[in-house]
Amino acid sequence: MADPGSTGRFGRFGGRYVPESLVPACEQLESGFRAAWADPAFRAGLARTLALHAGRPTPVTPALRLSAELGLTLLLKREDLTHTGSHKINNVLGQAMLAKRMGKTRLLAETGAGQHGVASATAAALLGLECVVYMGERDMRRQELNVFRMELLGATVVAVRNGSRTLKDACTEALRGWVTQVDEAHYCVGSVMGPHPYPWMVREFQRVVGEEARQQCAALLPQGRPDVVVACVGGGSNAAGTFAGFVDTDARLVGVEAAGGAAVSRGAPGVLHGYRSQVLQDEHGQILEAHSISAGLDYPGIGPEHAHLADIGRAEYPSVTDAEVVEAVLRLARTEGIVPALESAHALAWVLRAAGTPQLPTGCSVLVTLSGRGDKDGAQLVALRRDGARSGALRRDAAGTPR
Ligand SMILES: *Cc1c(COP(=O)(O)O)cnc(C)c1O
């Protein structure tokens, strides 16, 4: 997981597929990032902001009761404890500080569920930048509270009325918006996707998760590193940051996708939003909608570096169902007193399924990145319990059956 050079290629994936008018902006960003990342003063300033404003370093917590139940050693990297409640803050603070260093005055962002929009609005407010967030009209209706949060933080939310009026349309619109205001605006991409240099740059801004965890695991585990490292994958930024800390060890790397958004196992090579990767598409190359219980994983593509890590066999990308995810939320809540985000619960759901099988034999050690906290999912879990359609587990609990 090194520097992909000026082409931004990861094997047969990645690259830069943008209109001519955006090529200079991508090149300017690449050289701006290269200079900043090589500048110890920028790195120190970012580290300081992450410590003072975002609450880094986050702990690695041994999940003692759940470990005992599963017969293995389970460690949790606690991105749920950051300011704003997920790993997204690491990336947006990095990009906002870079934008400011490059003389930009405005951040543009796209958002689906609103989480990247809220994080971008937070970083913009902290650094005194304007913020414009593109959001599908349908998503705006579904995520009213996050729209309000962004506005509270001083951002302007632009309703996108094209296509399915969801995340992929918002991405397209944000790229279009950027073309018209490249001099003053920075486009703040929310995951390890988009044209070069974004997949590489976002992975570097998330690398802090894996590097902290590597040191913390060294202090907690007798053999110094976990046997298996697991993270959920939407675009793949929390997984990329986590994997970057362990890719040079012999730890197995597992990225867990949503069954309805499994771009690695069910996708095919294609170009989406400026980069080449595995993409969910029909036989005519039309992009398919992804479906998942967690809005943060509702994306039809995956970061190009993950597609490459799967190609070369360095990482595996299984998928889990919505029902397994709800079970995982409940299990962690009841055994450890931690309510994970639905996204993060995908990683845990795979561990619950694999524990005690040759995939995760008894006695092994597993690091799971808990990418975010579950407070945001409360209303959705209440609705699931009400209709009981997807989750027997929640219904059983409502009836008070002891677990
Ligand atoms: C956005 C989000 C994700 C998915 O994004 P990645 O780029 O795949 O990390 C996962 N977990 C949480 C809590 C999120 O908010």
Side-chain angles (χ1 to χ4, degrees):
M1 301 184 82
D3 183 336
S6 61
T7 61
R9 293 249 159 219
F10 303 97
R12 58 190 175 126
F13 300 112
R16 181 184 286 156
Y17 297 83
V18 293
E20 209 58 54
S21 51
L22 275 182
V23 171
C26 289
E27 286 174 350
Q28 184 199 47
L29 179 60
E30 183 186 344
S31 60
F33 174 65
R34 258 179 216 291
W37 212 227
D39 177 359
F42 179 82
R43 302 275 284 244
L46 177 57
R48 197 177 143 77
T49 306
L50 286 170
L52 297 181
H53 198 72
R56 302 214 74 86
T58 60
V60 164
T61 305
L64 297 177
R65 295 186 61 216
L66 189 51
S67 293
E69 288 184 11
L70 298 177
L72 42 73
T73 300
L74 176 61
L75 302 176
L76 305 172
K77 178 60 174 164
R78 302 291 306 279
E79 295 305 290
D80 59 312
L81 293 178
T82 56
H83 177 50
T84 67
S86 88
H87 69 291
K88 288 194 168 70
I89 195 74
N90 306 322
N91 171 43
V92 295
L93 281 175
Q95 288 196 49
M97 287 183 67
L98 176 62
K100 202 155 167 167
R101 178 184 156 112
M102 292 174 68
K104 312 282 177 174
T105 56
R106 187 179 306 134
L107 286 189
L108 308 180
E110 80 290 326
T111 198
Q115 292 150 243
H116 176 56
V118 170
S120 299
T122 301
L126 178 69
L127 295 171
L129 297 165
E130 278 177 63
C131 184
V132 177
V133 181
Y134 295 84
M135 191 169 185
E137 197 186 35
R138 251 179 78 199
D139 288 336
M140 283 180 74
R141 257 186 277 123
R142 290 191 289 203
Q143 302 288 339
E144 233 179 324
L145 188 58
N146 275 339
V147 174
F148 176 72
R149 278 196 188 115
M150 289 181 256
E151 289 173 349
L152 192 66
L153 290 159
T156 305
V157 182
V158 176
V160 175
R161 301 199 168 83
N162 306 330
S164 56
R165 291 168 290 137
T166 57
L167 176 61
K168 71 181 169 67
D169 313 290
C171 290
T172 306
E173 211 50 35
L175 271 172
R176 275 197 199 132
W178 194 28
V179 175
T180 66
Q181 46 190 307
V182 280
D183 289 339
E184 68 274 25
H186 169 72
Y187 177 27
C188 183
V189 172
S191 190
V192 282
M193 52 200 203
H196 180 58
Y198 285 103
W200 164 54
M201 179 175 75
V202 175
R203 179 249 281 162
E204 289 301 289
F205 284 142
Q206 292 293 359
R207 177 183 281 280
V208 64
V209 177
E211 286 184 345
E212 283 178 10
R214 169 97 173 243
Q215 284 197 355
Q216 292 162 320
C217 286
L220 286 165
L221 293 170
Q223 77 278 28
R225 55 116 195 98
D227 297 313
V228 187
V229 173
V230 191
C232 69
V233 173
S237 66
N238 86 88
T242 305
F243 291 178
F246 296 92
V247 72
D248 63 337
T249 72
D250 60 356
R252 256 175 78 200
L253 306 178
V254 180
V256 185
E257 296 194 279
V264 170
S265 51
R266 292 184 28 238
V271 171
L272 176 67
H273 300 133
Y275 65 103
R276 186 178 167 81
S277 189
Q278 297 286 8
V279 180
L280 293 177
Q281 50 190 306
D282 68 15
E283 70 273 27
H284 308 294
Q286 289 290 332
I287 306 303
L288 295 174
E289 294 273 306
H291 292 288
S292 157
I293 191 173
S294 56
L297 305 188
D298 255 357
Y299 181 72
I302 183 172
E305 192 167 27
H306 287 296
H308 177 60
L309 289 171
D311 249 10
I312 61 173
R314 179 62 188 95
E316 308 150 55
Y317 297 87
S319 59
V320 295
T321 65
D322 287 354
E324 289 178 296
V325 168
V326 173
E327 285 282 355
V329 170
L330 288 172
R331 189 86 181 265
L332 192 67
R334 301 289 161 87
T335 53
E336 301 295 334
I338 299 169
V339 180
L342 285 167
E343 290 85 356
S344 323
H346 284 68
L348 205 63
W350 180 80
V351 171
L352 297 183
R353 186 206 287 167
T357 74
Q359 291 277 320
L360 281 185
T362 300
C364 72
S365 57
V366 188
L367 173 75
V368 168
T369 293
L370 271 199
S371 54
R373 63 177 181 233
D375 306 40
K376 68 182 177 56
D377 303 319
Q380 202 179 343
L381 290 171
V382 168
L384 278 177
R385 184 170 69 178
R386 200 181 299 127
D387 63 39
R390 270 160 141 162
S391 171
L394 278 172
R395 240 186 336 199
R396 274 204 308 284
D397 281 2
T401 308
R403 292 170 64 85

